[in-house]
Amino acid sequence: MRRICNQCQTDMIEDCKVNVEGAMYGIKISQKGKGMFNSVSAKPKAAICPNCGYVAFYIDEYKEFSK
């Protein structure tokens, strides 16, 4: 999927890692579903605009959250 910067309409650089400074854990997005084993989680990635520096977070597994 092609990502365009919301600020300046430049093609963004995708698939950048997201880490928390000083911790090895990173960030995880999760949603608790109904039942014991129905939770969904994903690690976010970042897209960065090489023109203005705007950063957008996204996940590849977004369809899993709508179930």
Side-chain angles (χ1 to χ4, degrees):
M1 172 192 251
R2 186 173 165 218
R3 296 189 195 282
I4 305 294
C5 177
N6 291 339
Q7 307 299 314
C8 67
Q9 280 58 60
T10 302
D11 283 334
M12 298 181 82
I13 300 168
E14 297 183 61
D15 205 22
C16 299
K17 283 181 147 184
V18 179
N19 291 319
V20 177
E21 186 85 21
M24 301 292 284
Y25 313 117
I27 297 173
K28 185 167 91 172
I29 297 171
S30 61
Q31 178 184 40
K32 186 174 181 180
K34 295 178 181 174
M36 187 174 240
F37 300 107
N38 288 341
S39 63
V40 187
S41 65
K43 289 186 177 183
K45 295 180 181 178
I48 301 163
C49 178
N51 189 46
C52 70
Y54 179 77
V55 176
F57 294 106
Y58 67 95
I59 57 171
D60 289 329
E61 304 87 4
Y62 61 91
K63 290 183 180 179
E64 297 295 321
F65 284 82
S66 63
K67 292 179 180 179

